[in-house]
Every structure is written in structure tokens, then in C-alpha cells.
Amino acid sequence: MIRSVHLYLYFILTLLLYMFVIFVNAVVIAIIYVDRNLHEPMYLILCGLLANEIYGSTGLLPCLMAQILSDTHEISVFYCYIQIFCIHTYAGIEYAVLTVMAYDRYVCICKPLHYNVIITKRKIQQAIVAVWIYIFVEVGVLLSFTIRLKLCGNIINRVTCDNHLVAKLSCSFDTAVSHIHDLLFGLVFTVAVPTGFISFTYIKILAVCLNSSKETKQKAVSTCTPHLVSLLNFSFGCFYELITQRFDMTFNYPRRPRCSNGILRNVLVALKVQRKWYLAAQSQAQKVLTTVRVHCPT
């Protein structure tokens, strides 16, 4: 009886979190859309991040709520692959859009006189659309290798499905291609390349600030801090996920930070609250759902 009450409590908290995420991000997007003064490249990038937050939350939280109320914690193979696709595309798009934002900040601070020529609304729109298309195709190719594998197991010791964990359930001999592509996409193209480029932009920004006036330094700090906080938050969360998936960690996870963002000064506080709610919900869900069983049709 007590366990049942706890399950409903966790379900309500997760539902409130999901509604909060949708409401906050949708309101900010609507404000930017209505106010023509905000139709600037930086705010278009922000809209790309907020839309991705809605997409990622929708790909994760509804399934998590269904698992909380389920007695068997089963998920069909089809929906497991759908969840893998949503989570991987969410992470890839988040990193790519943060990279675009880093380049925007680099041009704004290091090449202010050429900013309006290099960074335009049309170019930003094209970049965001290109990012979504590229990531969707990339993850689609990754998933195509995993779908062809024959599964000999059906238990994943996680709350969510993941490509690496599903591939480990396979008894096929051709898993090497899936693992290599997963490694290249998960670590090299999604993390290493964007991180390297972002580090380059911040080194350039730091070099400019060291030889600039106090006013320029303050402007750079106020401009880059929201982006840097979001990047570090997202990077540590994804790094934690990658490590815990690929190494056997049998201890109880105190929390499983997935990826949230906090961009722009007037939105940062609200999204920090979103992240705290998210971590709390996943921490409680981890206590209830220690495994997910993949239901394979015979």
C-alpha cells in the first residue's frame, strides 16, 4: 500500500515536471515570436534550444511515467528504438546548437564590426535546420545497425533504453559496426568535435578580453556566462551517462543528471529550477524502476 502511494506520488511529480518543462519553454518561444524586437540571431538560437528541450522531454518523460505505474516495466522493441532515437537526437542537437551559440558569441566579441554581416537571421535559421537534419540522419544510420541485431536478452538495468545497452543484449557476431558507430557518434562527432570548437572560441574570446578595457571584459562575462553554465551542465550530465552505460557500476545512483539547459539571463533561473525538478524525479524513479524489460515479439 505504501509503495503504491509512493508510485502515484512519483507519477504526479514527473507529470508536473513535464507540464512545467512544456509550459516554460513554450511561453519563452511564444514571447520571442510575438516580440519583433527579439527577432535577433541570439534569440533564434535560444528558440532552437528551447524547442529541443520540449522534444527531448517528450521523448523521455511520458514513457517514464508509464513505467512508474506499470507492474511489469516492459517496453516493446519498437518503442525502445523510438526512445533511443529521441534521446540520441536530443543530445546531438543540444550540443550542436550550443556550438552555434558559441560561434555567435565569438563573432560578437572578437569581430563586433563584422557581426551583422557574418551572423544574420537567415544564416542562423539555415544552421539550425541543417543541425536537426544532420543529427536525425546520423542517429537514423546508427539505429539502423542496431535494429538488424538479433537480441538474446531482454533486460536493461536502466530506466531508459540506450543504443549501447541494447547492442549488449545482442547475440549477433556483427555488433562491432554498431559499437564503432556508437563510439564515433557518441564521443567524437557529438562531444569531442563540438567541445574542441567551443574551447577554441573561448580561447579566442579570452585572448581578446586580456587586451581589452574593463567594460569589454564585463560585457564578455555577462554575455558568455549563461552559455558556459549551460554547456558545463549539459557536458557533465552527458559524460556521466556515457561512463555509467559503458562501465559496470553496481552502486545505487544518487542521481542521474541528464541534459537540461539554462540559456539567457532572464531564463536561467527558471531552467535551473527545471533541472532540479528533473534530477529529483529521475532519482526517485531510479529507486522504483531498477530495470526495464524489453518485450520481444515471438
Side-chain angles (χ1 to χ4, degrees):
M1 180 62 182
I2 296 178
R3 183 176 181 274
S4 178
V5 173
H6 287 169
L7 289 178
Y8 283 110
L9 176 61
Y10 300 150
F11 175 83
I12 293 173
L13 290 176
T14 308
L15 178 61
L16 291 175
L17 169 64
Y18 180 56
M19 294 173 62
F20 177 79
V21 171
I22 299 298
F23 176 76
V24 170
N25 289 287
V27 166
V28 176
I29 291 175
I31 291 174
I32 294 175
Y33 177 79
V34 172
D35 191 346
R36 292 189 175 275
N37 294 325
L38 300 179
H39 290 187
E40 299 294 335
M42 180 63 179
Y43 293 95
L44 293 178
I45 299 173
L46 175 61
C47 282
L49 284 172
L50 297 178
N52 191 45
E53 285 299 309
I54 295 175
Y55 167 71
S57 300
T58 302
L60 174 65
L61 293 181
C63 182
L64 179 61
M65 288 187 285
Q67 291 294 324
I68 289 176
L69 296 181
S70 174
D71 293 328
T72 59
H73 306 319
E74 289 186 351
I75 183 172
S76 67
V77 174
F78 175 77
Y79 284 111
C80 184
Y81 287 142
I82 290 294
Q83 190 176 70
I84 292 173
F85 182 83
C86 291
I87 293 176
H88 278 65
T89 50
Y90 163 73
I93 291 170
E94 192 82 355
Y95 247 122
V97 176
L98 285 173
T99 304
V100 174
M101 182 176 286
Y103 181 70
D104 174 83
R105 297 300 85 200
Y106 160 73
V107 176
C108 178
I109 295 173
C110 299
K111 302 179 180 180
L113 298 179
H114 300 89
Y115 180 81
N116 292 329
V117 176
I118 299 175
I119 305 294
T120 63
K121 290 188 290 185
R122 184 174 181 81
K123 289 180 180 178
I124 293 298
Q125 291 170 348
Q126 293 173 344
I128 293 176
V129 171
V131 161
W132 280 72
I133 294 175
Y134 168 76
I135 297 299
F136 270 60
V137 172
E138 179 71 22
V139 178
V141 173
L142 167 66
L143 203 56
S144 67
F145 293 117
T146 306
I147 291 175
R148 292 183 296 178
L149 299 177
K150 179 182 178 181
L151 301 181
C152 293
N154 65 343
I155 295 179
I156 300 174
N157 293 315
R158 305 284 285 188
V159 173
T160 59
C161 290
D162 180 84
N163 184 75
H164 179 75
L165 299 177
V166 171
K168 288 176 65 176
L169 297 178
S170 172
C171 53
S172 302
F173 295 102
D174 56 348
T175 60
V177 175
S178 179
H179 285 308
I180 292 174
H181 197 279
D182 184 32
L183 179 67
L184 289 175
F185 172 75
L187 295 178
V188 178
F189 293 111
T190 303
V191 178
V193 173
T195 301
F197 180 80
I198 293 171
S199 300
F200 168 78
T201 62
Y202 272 99
I203 290 173
K204 289 291 187 179
I205 291 173
L206 181 62
V208 170
C209 291
L210 291 177
N211 299 320
S212 302
S213 63
K214 183 179 179 180
E215 182 180 354
T216 302
K217 293 178 182 178
Q218 291 176 345
K219 179 183 177 182
V221 170
S222 63
T223 301
C224 296
T225 297
H227 174 263
L228 190 59
V229 170
S230 302
L231 177 65
L232 292 176
N233 171 49
F234 183 80
S235 299
F236 281 120
C238 290
F239 180 75
Y240 180 87
E241 287 292 319
L242 290 172
I243 293 299
T244 55
Q245 288 168 8
R246 285 157 177 77
F247 296 94
D248 184 17
M249 295 186 175
T250 56
F251 58 87
N252 293 324
Y253 303 100
R255 56 177 53 184
R256 300 177 59 244
R258 207 167 274 276
C259 313
S260 61
N261 77 7
I263 312 295
L264 224 58
R265 291 168 290 279
N266 57 338
V267 186
L268 188 58
V269 174
L271 295 181
K272 280 183 178 179
V273 174
Q274 167 187 327
R275 179 176 180 271
K276 291 179 180 178
W277 281 31
Y278 186 30
L279 294 176
Q282 276 213 324
S283 177
Q284 297 300 333
Q286 183 69 31
K287 297 176 183 177
V288 179
L289 307 175
T290 56
T291 63
V292 172
R293 184 182 298 273
V294 181
H295 177 66
C296 303
T298 56

